[in-house]
Amino acid sequence: MGSNVKEIATEVLPYIRVYKDGSVDRLVDSPIVPPCNEDPETGVSSKDIVVSKNPPISARIYLPKHVEQSLKVPLLVYFHGGGFCFESAFSFVETKYMNRLAKQANAVVISIEYRLAPEHPLPIGYEDCWTGLQWVASHSIDGGLKDEPWLSTYVDFDRLYVGGDSSGANLAHNILLRAGSEGLNGVKIKGAFLTHPYFWGSKPIGSEIKNNEEREKLATCMIWHLVYPEAPGGIDNPMLNPVVEGGPSLAGLGCSRLLISTAEKDFVRDRAVSYYHAVKKSGWKGELMELVEVEGEDHAFHILAHESETSMNLIQKLASFIV
């Protein structure tokens, strides 16, 4: 009798396992939950929408309670984390996080559901997020799209923000560079937050130097090779290593306000700090840049340990940045 055991092609534990038949087990995904007419904790309303049928891109959009058409509010376009290969805009932890951000910032929030690697390897995720942002921005143009009334009715497009956590912060960074070079249908991105950004590189920096054994076997390396196997330069591709020699100038980041945050125990902490200093030295002409470091916490703590006081404090800090 034949065995039904599938052969493993590659795995990055504890996150993901890929089999030789092309199937994938995502091992740490938060459960998918439906949107809500009125979230019991925050009063925020949410619904799921189609951004594009081809390519297939969807989103979950959030509207704070008591928003009035005459007093339009900021907009946050958000990209979720998960190493480009797991998690979802529709998951429990992301939905709880977005509800809180929308309430505390009093902003409309739209979380883009981009396609995941390895079934859809990078740069597909980057393209999906750019397409999603363009679709959002097109609602600001007279005679443009009016597909989503929450965007066309309640949003002040002079206060457009983008943001993300972990790989979502990486997506946000690359979106900012593209917006700076290509423009965004005449819309300017006012600000961006990059929380615990997933950046890496072949040369160890900071605390990485102490833990440099078998560097290629670290999850930060293995995930990148899994999700972007054709990346020119490997882990020194500028999309992952934004400070690499020969990469695009960080002076080209297309926003005027930037908030970078990290945590003391975060495995990519030194990369966030390096990025902050590199932007400062780049000649970037923004009006505000801030680095926030949270002591005693680990990567994505504000999402994974969402009931803690430090989580609540960081979410409030992010929300207060959206003005």
Side-chain angles (χ1 to χ4, degrees), residues 126-147:
Y126 292 114
E127 293 299 327
D128 284 357
C129 291
W130 179 248
T131 297
L133 182 60
Q134 287 182 307
W135 179 85
V136 168
S138 66
H139 286 74
S140 71
I141 304 168
D142 290 338
L145 276 181
K146 301 298 178 189
D147 289 359

Side-chain angles (χ1 to χ4, degrees), residues 159-175:
R159 293 188 284 167
L160 170 63
Y161 287 76
V162 300
D165 298 82
S166 191
S167 58
N170 177 298
L171 286 161
H173 157 74
N174 284 286
I175 289 292

Side-chain angles (χ1 to χ4, degrees), residues 294-309:
V294 180
E295 294 182 358
E297 294 292 354
D298 212 329
H299 190 74
F301 72 89
H302 58 298
I303 300 174
L304 302 176
H306 49 77
E307 300 298 343
S308 71
E309 182 179 354

Side-chain angles (χ1 to χ4, degrees), residues 183-204:
L184 189 62
N185 300 324
V187 178
K188 301 292 186 183
I189 298 173
K190 183 173 182 180
F193 67 76
L194 309 185
T195 306
H196 308 172
Y198 171 32
F199 298 138
W200 202 245
S202 62
K203 183 178 180 180

Side-chain angles (χ1 to χ4, degrees), residues 82-93:
F84 306 102
C85 61
F86 59 94
E87 264 303 329
S88 168
F90 308 136
S91 77
F92 170 77
V93 293

